[in-house]
């Protein structure tokens, strides 16, 4: 299986991928899967990561092109998948956002994906009837357009459609048409709704039509809500600069974003009155939990 990451720009984003790879090696042997990093700074990773990592160099101009005429940052994810499917034919792919943490061995996902089981991160609830603003915007557009995304061929969205987080996407070599559809879907919809989840919605709908989506969250934690962890990673890498890769892997087991960010995630899931009670009784919204 080929595990794909995309990392460009500031050091904090590059470091997220470095830490994700450290967490991967907590549970996997070298060459158990192929890790491919699309990046504009190969040298940054080569200072820390082992030689079996594969890199695909990208330029700022290419990233800009991949954002498309809609200038959408998450459109790049689709273009990375398109490029990888051409560059590494007949592979099974697991695309991961940079802010992920491996909790266990995930090699078994390859067989699921090859059997046709769609894989994404986590179900986030129903599109219709949600209180979330970005879901409401999608639902409003769909109601006005008979639940149809008017591309060729048109895609009809089920009234029972759930949303799945796209921080993890598993695809087989046979899923090239889905990636092409996701690109057309995203370009079309984003031109009407400037919404940060249009690419996620595209993959959700298209993979749901393929079958029941398998949630990978129990195996790989996506800490999208915990941006403060970037500074913790930076401090970790600076403190342990010069140590062997094997030592960094061992030390990374003590720095767990799921545990450290648990209070913040719980707070984000509270309603207004629960948040108010939290602030009144504990005198804070949330805190980072250091073991």
């Amino acid at each position: 299986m080929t595990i794909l990451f995309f990392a460009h720009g500031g050091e904090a984003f590059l470091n997220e991928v470095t830490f994700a790879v450290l967490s991967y090696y907590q549970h996997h042997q070298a060459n158990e899967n192929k890790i491919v990093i699309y990046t504009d700074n190969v040298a940054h990773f080569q200072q820390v990561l082992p030689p079996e990592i594969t890199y695909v160099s990208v330029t700022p101009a290419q990233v800009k092109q991949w954002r498309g005429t809609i200038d959408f940052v998450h459109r790049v994810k689709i273009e990375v998948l398109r490029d990888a499917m051409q560059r590494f034919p007949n592979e099974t792919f697991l695309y991961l956002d940079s802010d992920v943490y491996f909790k266990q061995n995930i090699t078994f996902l390859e067989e699921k994906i090859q059997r046709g089981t769609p894989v994404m991160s986590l179900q986030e609830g129903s599109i219709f009837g949600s209180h979330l603003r970005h879901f409401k915007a999608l639902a409003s557009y769909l109601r006005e357009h008979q639940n149809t995304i008017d591309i060729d061929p048109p895609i009809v969205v089920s009234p029972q459609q759930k949303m799945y987080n796209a921080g993890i996407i598993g695809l087989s070599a046979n899923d090239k048409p889905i990636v092409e559809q996701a690109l057309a879907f995203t370009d079309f919809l984003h031109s009407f709704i400037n919404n940060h989840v249009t690419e996620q919605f595209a993959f959700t709908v298209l993979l749901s039509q393929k079958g029941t989506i398998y949630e990978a969250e129990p195996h790989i934690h996506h800490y999208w809500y915990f941006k403060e962890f970037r500074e913790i990673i930076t401090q970790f890498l600076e403190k342990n600069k010069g140590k062997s890769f094997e030592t960094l892997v061992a030390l990374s087991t003590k720095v767990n974003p799921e545990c450290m960010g648990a209070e913040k995630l719980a707070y984000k899931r509270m309603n207004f009155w629960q948040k108010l009670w939290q602030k009144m009784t504990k005198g804070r919204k949330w805190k980072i939990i250091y073991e």
Side-chain angles (χ1 to χ4, degrees), residues 26-261:
Q26 293 174 18
H27 309 285
H28 301 81
Q29 300 298 314
N31 298 315
E32 187 172 338
N33 298 287
K34 178 193 293 183
I35 295 179
V36 178
I37 302 175
Y38 280 70
T39 183
D40 60 352
N41 195 341
V42 173
H44 178 89
F45 293 105
Q46 289 178 327
Q47 295 174 36
V48 177
L49 300 183
E52 63 263 24
I53 305 297
T54 299
Y55 300 97
V56 177
S57 294
V58 296
T59 64
Q62 188 172 21
V63 173
K64 182 178 180 180
Q65 179 184 351
W66 282 354
R67 290 172 69 108
T69 56
I70 59 174
D71 192 26
F72 181 39
V73 62
H74 296 310
R75 188 184 187 275
V76 176
K77 178 185 302 186
I78 310 174
E79 291 283 14
V80 168
L81 279 162
R82 289 180 81 204
D83 184 90
M85 285 181 157
Q86 294 171 359
R87 195 179 294 267
F88 309 105
N90 304 316
E91 288 287 322
T92 301
F93 296 96
L94 191 68
Y95 180 97
L96 302 174
D97 282 355
S98 60
D99 51 350
V100 297
Y101 183 84
F102 288 81
K103 300 162 67 172
Q104 58 186 242
N105 188 292
I106 52 81
T107 302
F108 75 95
L109 289 176
E110 179 174 21
E111 185 179 351
K112 280 187 173 293
I113 296 167
Q114 288 177 343
R115 291 203 313 260
T117 301
V119 173
M120 294 185 73
S121 176
L122 180 72
Q123 193 213 114
E124 297 183 328
S126 298
I127 297 297
F128 296 96
S130 173
H131 68 281
L132 298 173
R133 282 179 293 179
H134 49 293
F135 283 22
K136 286 181 177 180
L138 290 170
S140 176
Y141 176 86
L142 290 168
R143 289 191 189 98
E144 292 173 5
H145 295 86
Q146 294 75 51
N147 286 13
T148 301
I149 305 299
D150 194 16
I151 59 176
D152 186 18
I155 296 171
V156 178
V157 179
S158 167
Q160 287 77 45
Q161 182 67 61
K162 309 287 186 182
M163 178 73 91
Y164 287 80
N165 187 289
I168 302 169
I169 302 174
L171 298 170
S172 74
N174 296 324
D175 289 328
K176 284 184 180 180
I178 288 178
V179 175
E180 296 300 327
Q181 281 185 299
L183 191 64
F185 190 126
T186 300
D187 283 345
F188 176 84
L189 185 60
H190 200 81
S191 64
F192 292 98
I193 304 175
N194 188 4
N195 191 315
H196 71 280
V197 296
T198 46
E199 120 285 347
Q200 174 170 292
F201 184 55
F203 276 112
T204 291
V205 171
L206 294 167
L207 290 177
S208 293
Q209 292 179 349
K210 183 180 177 183
T212 301
I213 292 175
Y214 181 84
E215 297 177 55
E217 172 63 27
H219 321 294
I220 308 171
H221 182 58
H222 183 205
Y223 57 93
W224 55 269
Y225 56 90
F226 192 28
K227 303 307 180 189
E228 295 80 5
F229 194 64
R230 290 175 183 162
E231 180 58 29
I232 294 171
I233 294 172
T234 298
Q235 292 175 4
F236 171 86
L237 293 174
E238 186 61 33
K239 178 182 178 181
N240 296 293
K241 190 173 183 179
K243 294 180 180 177
S244 70
F245 179 72
E246 292 74 18
T247 299
L248 290 175
V249 171
L251 291 171
S252 70
T253 63
K254 305 297 184 182
V255 187
N256 186 323
E258 185 173 19
C259 296
M260 298 177 81

